[in-house]
Amino acid sequence: MADKLEKTAITPSTHTAPPAKFSHGVRKGNLLQVAGQVGFLPAVEGQAPTPAGPSLREQTLQTFANVKAILEEGGASWEDVMMMRVYLTDVDHFAEMNAIYNEYFADLKEAPSARTTVYVGLPAGLLIEIDALAVLG
Amino acid sequence: MADKLEKTAITPSTHTAPPAKFSHGVRKGNLLQVAGQVGFLPAVEGQAPTPAGPSLREQTLQTFANVKAILEEGGASWEDVMMMRVYLTDVDHFAEMNAIYNEYFADLKEAPSARTTVYVGLPAGLLIEIDALAVLG
Amino acid sequence: MADKLEKTAITPSTHTAPPAKFSHGVRKGNLLQVAGQVGFLPAVEGQAPTPAGPSLREQTLQTFANVKAILEEGGASWEDVMMMRVYLTDVDHFAEMNAIYNEYFADLKEAPSARTTVYVGLPAGLLIEIDALAVLG
């Protein structure tokens, strides 16, 4: 701990600028924190952020892609993730989200991350939000 | 940080298999993350997970037991916990949860963890969910 | 990791005693976790905690002040924060909270922290709650 740890903002080229002064991801030492991601398609200049579609499946897969882009831009992968927080808007989406989750992570080589799922309010049209904490190394 | 850090899933024998590809707990380096726990009784093969009871007290104490089992399986204790997130479904449960919390942690020897309590939706019948981040060493 | 890490509770003099056995902040190693803060004014002995005002602006700025007091008491600053969790009660508050957020963090010198914003229930009269994880060094 003698050296000053560098703190780096992570902004994949696929991402819109954050709607406020926060970073999509930030790394310091061996910790990488991914901010809450939703199912927005890759940014198109001059266009408002657009969800991948109205369905839970479309939004969940796009949300995973958005988290992954930040992990990779920060030098990490799904294997490094310790914790994912999944925010859904409807308890009835739990089983379907789990099915998509299991498909998506079927090939994970290391221990799966821990996870908490709770049901909250999200902006209109959004069905899922996910953030992640990774430990590199 | 020269050595590759090992990432380990933590699955106490008392726990049901997670309902999706996540770990009840995961340890990497000196961090241990406990996934969101609810008041399910110890797993019985062939039976669906069953809450310890309908009351906040029963569910809170069982949730604590479930978090503790993961901490201990991962080589940690309550003393190592930095943060607990408490999810309740009803603002009117706050005072009773705090009373149970204070009883349970009365004998804590080190600084109590930080805590955030918010009110969210949970699956039918569940009144509380808790996750925890611990730093070992 | 040879030395035992010390775990320290952080309790700024401006803060009321926590309503249960948790710490407003806790530091262990180079991690500092700030518990969920709300817009309560500095504690006055013998008085119940009082929000800074009924408006989102008043409560948000007071919440920032309360988080900052804990960071500083623990030897950290906003520059060290990796993640902030913002809990609002109303989706319609998002734009205004972001405007206040941007003003407040306009002079941040390092990469802004990651952030997740979700909409939950909070005790009557409270419009915002924020917690924070910082990495020092």
Side-chain angles (χ1 to χ4, degrees):
Chain A
M1 280 200 260
D3 295 326
K4 172 101 179 89
L5 296 175
E6 197 182 353
K7 187 187 184 191
T8 314
I10 302 167
T11 313
S13 60
T14 47
H15 277 56
T16 49
K21 201 170 168 76
F22 66 84
S23 301
H24 282 304
V26 65
R27 183 170 168 185
K28 188 172 179 182
N30 69 341
L31 281 188
L32 191 166
Q33 176 71 55
V34 177
Q37 299 296 305
V38 295
F40 288 148
L41 291 167
V44 178
E45 216 185 304
Q47 284 188 16
T50 309
S55 74
L56 183 67
R57 170 168 287 271
E58 290 163 305
Q59 291 194 16
T60 302
L61 291 174
Q62 186 63 47
T63 301
F64 285 151
N66 292 341
V67 173
K68 184 171 185 251
I70 295 166
L71 291 170
E72 293 186 346
E73 185 83 12
S77 75
W78 287 118
E79 314 289 341
D80 299 306
V81 176
M82 293 286 287
M83 181 63 166
M84 273 197 273
R85 296 188 178 278
V86 178
Y87 299 99
L88 296 174
T89 59
D90 188 337
V91 171
D92 288 341
H93 288 169
F94 187 59
E96 186 185 354
M97 184 275 291
N98 277 336
I100 302 165
Y101 197 95
N102 289 348
E103 277 173 41
Y104 187 85
F105 291 111
D107 297 328
L108 208 61
K109 281 173 226 80
E110 295 203 36
S113 81
R115 196 185 78 178
T116 290
T117 304
V118 292
Y119 304 87
V120 301
L122 293 179
L126 297 178
L127 302 176
I128 186 166
E129 178 163 351
I130 298 179
D131 60 51
L133 176 68
V135 173
L136 286 89
Chain B
M1 281 199 260
D3 294 326
K4 172 101 179 90
L5 296 174
E6 197 182 353
K7 186 185 183 191
T8 315
I10 302 166
T11 312
S13 61
T14 46
H15 277 57
T16 49
K21 201 171 168 73
F22 66 86
S23 301
H24 283 304
V26 64
R27 183 169 167 184
K28 188 172 178 182
N30 68 341
L31 280 189
L32 190 166
Q33 176 71 55
V34 176
Q37 300 296 305
V38 296
F40 288 148
L41 290 167
V44 178
E45 217 184 304
Q47 284 188 16
T50 308
S55 73
L56 182 67
R57 168 168 290 271
E58 289 163 306
Q59 292 194 16
T60 302
L61 292 174
Q62 187 62 48
T63 301
F64 286 150
N66 292 342
V67 172
K68 184 170 184 250
I70 296 166
L71 290 171
E72 293 184 347
E73 186 83 11
S77 75
W78 286 118
E79 314 289 342
D80 299 306
V81 176
M82 293 286 286
M83 180 63 166
M84 274 197 273
R85 296 188 179 278
V86 177
Y87 299 98
L88 296 176
T89 59
D90 187 338
V91 172
D92 288 341
H93 288 170
F94 187 59
E96 185 184 355
M97 185 274 291
N98 277 335
I100 302 165
Y101 197 95
N102 289 347
E103 277 174 40
Y104 187 84
F105 291 112
D107 296 328
L108 208 60
K109 282 173 226 82
E110 295 204 34
S113 82
R115 196 186 78 179
T116 290
T117 304
V118 291
Y119 303 87
V120 301
L122 293 178
L126 297 178
L127 303 176
I128 186 166
E129 177 163 352
I130 298 179
D131 60 49
L133 176 68
V135 174
L136 287 91
Chain C
M1 282 198 257
D3 296 326
K4 172 102 179 88
L5 296 173
E6 196 183 353
K7 186 185 183 192
T8 316
I10 302 167
T11 312
S13 61
T14 46
H15 277 56
T16 48
K21 200 171 168 77
F22 66 85
S23 300
H24 283 302
V26 65
R27 184 171 167 183
K28 189 173 178 181
N30 68 341
L31 281 189
L32 190 166
Q33 177 71 54
V34 177
Q37 299 297 304
V38 295
F40 287 148
L41 290 167
V44 178
E45 217 185 304
Q47 285 188 15
T50 309
S55 74
L56 183 66
R57 169 169 287 270
E58 290 163 306
Q59 292 194 16
T60 302
L61 291 174
Q62 186 63 47
T63 301
F64 285 150
N66 291 342
V67 173
K68 184 171 184 250
I70 295 166
L71 290 171
E72 292 185 346
E73 186 83 12
S77 75
W78 286 117
E79 314 289 340
D80 300 305
V81 176
M82 293 287 285
M83 181 62 167
M84 273 196 274
R85 297 187 179 278
V86 178
Y87 299 99
L88 296 175
T89 59
D90 187 337
V91 172
D92 289 341
H93 288 170
F94 187 58
E96 185 183 355
M97 184 273 290
N98 276 336
I100 301 165
Y101 198 94
N102 290 348
E103 276 173 42
Y104 187 84
F105 291 111
D107 296 328
L108 208 61
K109 281 173 226 80
E110 295 203 35
S113 82
R115 195 186 78 180
T116 290
T117 305
V118 291
Y119 303 88
V120 300
L122 293 179
L126 298 178
L127 302 176
I128 186 165
E129 178 162 350
I130 298 179
D131 61 49
L133 177 68
V135 174
L136 286 91

